[in-house]
Amino acid sequence: LVKSLVLGRDPSDDADVQAGRADGAVLADPGNTISRVHAEIRAAGWDVHLVDRGSTNGTFLWSAVGNQWDRLPSHQPVALTPGTTIAFGALTATFESANRQKA
């Protein structure tokens, strides 16, 4: 069984985490830019989706084409591809996959 992963300063506050339908992952945020329940990573078949959970400061994906951060609409899943750079508030991360194909 693959569970979703809820990210935030205090993801234990999320109903899905409390009910055991998702696991929580605490993001360290000394600048206080991440919401208690900020975003969710979920498996959808062979894809991995990122969902902003209505965070105050947003969840962003880096657009190399536009050379800018694009804010995700709240509660709308977006498929991630290996190498995607993500920002949760002021915290950044890169999505990687063991299945990433080499160029």
Side-chain angles (χ1 to χ4, degrees), residues 40-65:
E40 177 181 354
I41 296 174
R42 60 173 81 141
W46 290 101
D47 294 325
V48 175
H49 289 177
L50 177 64
V51 183
D52 181 86
R53 297 286 295 274
S55 66
T56 301
N57 291 319
T59 302
F60 297 81
L61 299 181
W62 178 252
S63 168
V65 173

Side-chain angles (χ1 to χ4, degrees), residues 21-101:
R21 294 184 296 268
D23 289 326
V26 175
L27 299 178
D29 182 30
N32 211 28
T33 61
I34 296 173
S35 296
R36 286 187 347 252
V37 175
H38 195 97
E40 177 181 354
I41 296 174
R42 60 173 81 141
W46 290 101
D47 294 325
V48 175
H49 289 177
L50 177 64
V51 183
D52 181 86
R53 297 286 295 274
S55 66
T56 301
N57 291 319
T59 302
F60 297 81
L61 299 181
W62 178 252
S63 168
V65 173
N67 200 32
Q68 67 184 19
W69 288 104
D70 294 329
R71 187 173 183 152
L72 298 183
S74 293
H75 306 289
Q76 294 184 20
V78 174
L80 295 176
T81 56
T84 300
T85 302
I86 305 163
F88 307 100
L91 179 69
T92 60
T94 301
F95 172 72
E96 292 294 345
S97 170
N99 295 327
R100 182 176 189 167
Q101 294 190 3

